[in-house]
Amino acid sequence: MPYPFTLPTTSSTPLDAFISSPSHPSLPLTATTQRSVLRDALKKHKRLPPAQQAAHLGVVQEALNAYLPYALGIASALNSGRIGDEPVNVTNTKQLQTQWRLTLSATLPGREPPRAPLAGVYNDVAFVLQSLAYIQVQQARVHLQVLYSSSIPSPDRRTAAISSAMKYLLEANAIHNYILNLHTQDPASAPLDTVNSTQVALAALALAEATLITVLKDDPYTTAVIQARNKEDKEWMISAPSIPKVRAHLFARLCLCASDHAQRAAASLAPGIGALDPALLNYVDDLRRTSRAKAARFLAIDAEIAGKTGEAIAYLRGARKELGLAPLEQDASKRKGWKGIKQTFAEKREDRKVEKGSDDWGLDAGKLEEARVLEWLEVKWVKMNDTINVQAVPPSEPLMATMPSGREYHTQKPYMPPQLDVSLLARLRAPVDPQQRAFGGDEDDSGDEGAAREPVVVPGAFPGAATAGGGNAYY
């Protein structure tokens, strides 16, 4: 369900060609080596198939955490002349120039996002931190994928997955707030990916997702719908899921709080709407709609428990309007016509994405899954109301206009970045051998990073007549 951010890549940058340290001569060289390791990890991650990228996230995170203390230490030494409590003399021989690929900017279909030339160390630090925040969101996606698969996880595994995902999303929120508070960063030189408005939006987006998944652990209706469409399920002869009245109202307020955070993210992204990726803008809007629809659904559950079936159906219909869905037909137990075929096809396609672990599953912010729950409940309650209760269904607009205010669940905590160890700083005082060179990386730094790296052998050609770089072979 969290947004599938794409990790950026960076160019090879010899930091020792831009900065020097009379007090710690080994600092620029060691920082260059760590940055090259990070560059290799990011490029290798990008070239992996989507099914293998989840297992590689830990390698990239380790490389980020290894380089981050050096980047922050150099920035601190340039600004204040100290790293922690130790005086460190770092000077610019010339202005640092790096390149990072902009993954949030809008590009033409089928083209790589552009690489932006960035000046200064703080832009480099901002992209390293942003990549670390993307890693946290990707880790949350890996844990939440278990909840939406056809095989229902055990309650303990479900709780552990939700707790882990919540921890990762709160960490991403803290990192984006930390980037926002880099007071020495020049906003004029920052690209669209790391400007203040984007950081406010991404921090609010992570907090909205963390708030929304708090209701997953105790929401039996989503689990019941997933279980109902599982053809191998044998536990269909069970009672309908129930939820206490107080918790239903509490969950509605939590979902409304998530909707408020998503609305704030959408407002922060609005100034750059012409340059940002439309997929991100659509996701933020879908998350806001899904959160409000969930809130209306929990208020409907609260009304149904109180015996107000007509009001509960009205809330469900209001939730469908929030999602932009058409009202269900009078006989909604069976889908009919082209709309029914189209909806069924979309659901099956999303199920295949979840099962295969595609990198674009959940790109609708859970809107399709929530629509399934709303349809399941409305069909059930309408049938019950027509045969037993016979209550009038009021208009949904007045009910949706009087929904309660949101309630905050999480307390935002500051991000504590890793620092250079005192013993490591002492070792960096060692002089550099004039013949020593920093590690430059093993991965190719080509413009087309997804191109084949093995020579292409043309069938029928002479032995050894291979074209390097992926030439076209015509049969």
Side-chain angles (χ1 to χ4, degrees):
M1 183 171 57
Y3 186 75
F5 290 104
T6 302
L7 296 184
T9 55
T10 183
S11 61
S12 178
T13 304
L15 300 178
D16 51 339
F18 297 93
I19 60 175
S20 63
S21 177
S23 62
H24 295 72
S26 298
L27 176 59
L29 193 69
T30 309
T32 301
T33 299
Q34 295 295 338
R35 195 181 189 281
S36 298
V37 172
L38 170 61
R39 168 186 167 275
D40 277 6
L42 288 171
K43 285 184 174 294
K44 185 177 180 181
H45 181 84
K46 181 179 180 179
R47 290 164 177 165
L48 288 174
Q52 300 178 16
Q53 288 183 349
H56 193 255
L57 290 174
V59 177
V60 183
Q61 184 173 358
E62 185 177 351
L64 286 166
N65 287 327
Y67 172 63
L68 187 56
Y70 291 93
L72 290 172
I74 292 173
S76 176
L78 287 172
N79 184 47
S80 62
R82 308 182 70 87
I83 297 180
D85 297 331
E86 182 173 346
V88 178
N89 185 9
V90 175
T91 58
N92 279 318
T93 56
K94 56 182 177 179
Q95 189 179 31
L96 178 64
Q97 296 288 335
T98 59
Q99 287 185 357
W100 284 86
R101 196 170 294 280
L102 306 181
T103 58
L104 295 185
S105 301
T107 56
L108 294 176
R111 291 194 178 182
E112 283 273 13
R115 263 189 186 174
L118 307 175
V121 66
Y122 276 97
N123 280 321
D124 192 49
V125 170
F127 264 93
V128 172
L129 288 167
Q130 185 119 314
S131 303
L132 188 60
Y134 292 165
I135 289 285
Q136 307 300 324
V137 177
Q138 292 281 11
Q139 296 276 22
R141 283 175 55 86
V142 172
H143 284 82
L144 290 177
Q145 183 183 355
V146 180
L147 306 182
Y148 294 95
S149 60
S150 58
S151 58
I152 306 298
S154 63
D156 293 340
R157 188 182 180 190
R158 182 182 181 86
T159 303
I162 292 174
S163 300
S164 299
M166 198 181 303
K167 180 191 70 173
Y168 285 123
L169 290 172
L170 291 177
E171 186 75 9
N173 168 262
I175 293 173
H176 287 302
N177 286 329
Y178 185 86
I179 301 174
L180 183 63
N181 295 326
L182 287 176
H183 61 281
T184 52
Q185 180 184 356
D186 183 11
S189 65
L192 186 61
D193 288 40
T194 58
V195 294
N196 289 348
S197 59
T198 303
Q199 296 308 312
V200 170
L202 295 180
L205 181 61
L207 188 58
E209 291 165 340
T211 304
L212 194 60
I213 65 174
T214 56
V215 303
L216 280 178
K217 181 169 64 69
D218 299 317
D219 181 12
Y221 292 91
T222 302
T223 305
V225 172
I226 295 175
Q227 190 172 8
R229 66 174 183 263
N230 185 5
K231 297 180 179 179
E232 299 180 359
D233 178 55
K234 305 299 182 183
E235 300 181 2
W236 54 272
M237 297 182 62
I238 58 174
S239 59
S242 60
I243 188 169
K245 178 181 178 181
V246 177
R247 295 189 65 84
H249 197 271
L250 171 63
F251 289 168
R253 295 189 62 188
L254 292 177
C255 293
L256 289 170
C257 180
S259 176
D260 293 339
H261 290 310
Q263 179 64 40
R264 188 166 73 253
S268 299
L269 292 175
I273 193 169
L276 284 173
D277 188 359
L280 176 61
L281 302 176
N282 294 335
Y283 176 86
V284 173
D285 184 63
D286 287 342
L287 183 65
R288 180 190 63 81
R289 292 173 176 271
T290 303
S291 301
R292 285 188 60 85
K294 281 183 180 290
R297 193 239 301 174
F298 282 115
L299 291 175
I301 295 170
D302 190 48
E304 197 274 336
I305 292 175
K308 303 176 182 178
T309 309
E311 183 177 321
I313 296 173
Y315 269 121
L316 292 181
R317 292 175 178 174
R320 289 184 61 86
K321 291 180 181 178
E322 285 289 341
L323 295 179
L325 302 176
L328 289 178
E329 298 181 2
Q330 196 168 20
D331 183 14
S333 58
K334 295 182 180 179
R335 295 176 179 175
K336 300 177 181 179
W338 170 247
K339 290 184 178 179
I341 296 174
K342 185 177 179 181
Q343 183 178 355
T344 303
F345 177 75
E347 292 175 354
K348 290 183 177 180
R349 182 175 57 184
E350 185 67 19
D351 291 342
R352 286 194 298 268
K353 289 182 180 179
V354 175
E355 294 297 333
K356 293 181 179 179
S358 302
D359 55 354
D360 59 344
W361 74 268
L363 201 57
D364 62 345
K367 187 169 71 171
L368 180 60
E369 191 65 38
E370 184 61 26
R372 288 172 165 179
V373 179
L374 293 174
E375 180 181 359
W376 183 73
L377 283 175
E378 186 172 351
V379 169
K380 175 184 175 183
W381 288 350
V382 166
K383 183 179 296 185
M384 182 176 63
N385 189 54
D386 291 345
T387 56
I388 301 175
N389 296 327
V390 194
Q391 295 183 10
V393 180
S396 60
E397 288 79 7
L399 295 175
M400 299 296 291
T402 57
M403 287 198 296
S405 60
R407 175 176 174 177
E408 195 68 65
Y409 183 85
H410 298 292
T411 301
Q412 301 183 52
K413 297 181 180 180
Y415 172 67
M416 303 301 294
Q419 303 291 334
L420 283 175
D421 188 71
V422 177
S423 61
L424 179 58
L425 275 174
R427 292 196 298 271
L428 294 177
R429 290 180 177 273
V432 180
D433 186 350
Q435 297 182 350
Q436 185 178 0
R437 295 292 182 267
F439 173 67
D442 295 328
E443 296 290 327
D444 293 339
D445 192 12
S446 58
D448 185 9
E449 296 183 53
R453 302 177 61 193
E454 296 296 330
V456 177
V457 179
V458 181
F462 290 102
T467 58
N472 292 328
Y474 294 92
Y475 296 87

